[in-house]
Amino acid sequence: DVKVTQSSRYLVKRTGEKVFLECVQDMDHENMFWYRQDPGLGLRLIYFSYDVKMKEKGDIPEGYSVSREKKERFSLILESASTNQTSMYLCASSLAPPGGYEQYFGPGTRLTVT
Amino acid sequence: KNEVEQSPQNLTAQEGEFITINCSYSVGISALHWLQQHPGGGIVSLFMLSSGKKKHGRLIATINIQEKHSSLHITASHPRDSAVYICAAGRWGGSEKLVFGKGTKLTVNP
């Protein structure tokens, strides 16, 4: 059974803290994604990684960075958390191109920044 | 204008009704995805299709490439079908990134 796991389901952090969200997949997928989901805005891509140490900015990368040191693990880092980063964060993975491959999602982390 | 538009935004149905959710897209696509998200967050892929029609149990997905339109149908709806249904387009050109619609919230009442 394919699996994408995320380090926390719920997280509460203070403004200015450095926050790490971790995602692990056990499917040997090349691609990994970080999204945030907000009411009325849908899913928006923050960062995408297509290989170890390789990354590409998504639609809303400002305030975030990522790290992929191992194929199965993709971390999202909020360098200095702000209240407007309160959101649901979802990780996903998929096989490499050709395009159109199914994405497998983790359960999500609901982050609240106070 | 969003590249992927879904309608309706919200849908309430009685148990047993036939349900249709629509998705229109303006980009060239390699595949069209339908996803389901239950309360609590987890997203599950229902279908990935690039032509014709696919069926899984009571769910049917169709796509018309010429009209850039896809539909998700649920036959004999049940309260457990209550969820948000999301349409996503995989852009043509080998990009693995998806463009998402804003979702349709379906509530099926007993």
Side-chain angles (χ1 to χ4, degrees):
Chain A
D1 200 17
V2 298
K3 243 201 172 78
V4 179
T5 57
Q6 294 183 228
S7 46
S8 307
R9 290 302 305 271
Y10 299 93
L11 209 50
V12 180
K13 295 291 182 181
R14 293 192 181 277
T15 301
E17 276 193 83
K18 191 167 185 174
V19 181
F20 292 87
L21 302 181
E22 198 161 74
C23 174
V24 178
Q25 51 97 1
D26 66 358
M27 296 165 282
D28 204 34
H29 283 172
E30 290 82 5
N31 298 327
M32 296 189 76
F33 308 81
W34 273 108
Y35 298 99
R36 65 176 281 177
Q37 186 179 34
D38 301 287
L41 297 177
L43 281 155
R44 293 180 292 167
L45 180 65
I46 305 171
Y47 266 99
F48 159 54
S49 170
Y50 50 93
D51 201 351
V52 174
K53 297 192 189 294
M54 306 305 286
K55 63 187 178 188
E56 196 174 298
K57 290 181 181 178
D59 300 316
I60 49 163
E62 297 78 19
Y64 303 94
S65 62
V66 289
S67 171
R68 192 160 178 208
E69 297 296 318
K70 293 185 178 181
K71 190 176 185 180
E72 68 270 18
R73 196 177 296 267
F74 191 33
S75 300
L76 180 69
I77 303 148
L78 286 67
E79 296 289 343
S80 177
S82 64
T83 54
N84 63 12
Q85 292 178 309
T86 291
S87 186
M88 170 71 93
Y89 290 87
L90 288 144
C91 174
S93 71
S94 74
L95 287 167
Y101 274 79
E102 184 177 359
Q103 290 193 15
Y104 294 84
F105 286 81
T109 295
R110 189 165 293 281
L111 172 68
T112 302
V113 183
T114 61
Chain B
K1 188 180 188 295
N2 294 328
E3 292 176 283
V4 177
E5 297 272 3
Q6 282 184 243
S7 63
Q9 270 188 292
N10 293 283
L11 184 54
T12 301
Q14 287 300 122
E15 184 172 355
E17 285 184 8
F18 181 84
I19 287 163
T20 296
I21 299 170
N22 295 300
C23 176
S24 296
Y25 53 91
S26 57
V27 295
I29 67 164
S30 55
L32 194 287
H33 302 246
W34 282 101
L35 311 167
Q36 180 191 56
Q37 185 175 31
H38 278 288
I43 294 176
V44 174
S45 178
L46 297 174
F47 294 104
M48 184 176 73
L49 65 166
S50 53
S51 64
K53 176 173 153 177
K54 286 192 175 180
K55 186 174 190 282
H56 181 68
R58 295 179 295 105
L59 273 59
I60 303 165
T62 64
I63 189 166
N64 184 319
I65 298 293
Q66 286 73 30
E67 294 186 6
K68 294 190 173 177
H69 182 269
S70 176
S71 293
L72 177 68
H73 306 285
I74 305 175
T75 61
S77 60
H78 190 275
R80 65 173 173 267
D81 297 325
S82 298
V84 174
Y85 292 85
I86 302 167
C87 168
R91 285 197 186 94
W92 183 253
S95 173
E96 306 91 311
K97 292 183 279 188
L98 299 179
V99 182
F100 293 88
K102 289 189 167 56
T104 295
K105 184 177 180 183
L106 171 65
T107 304
V108 182
N109 293 317

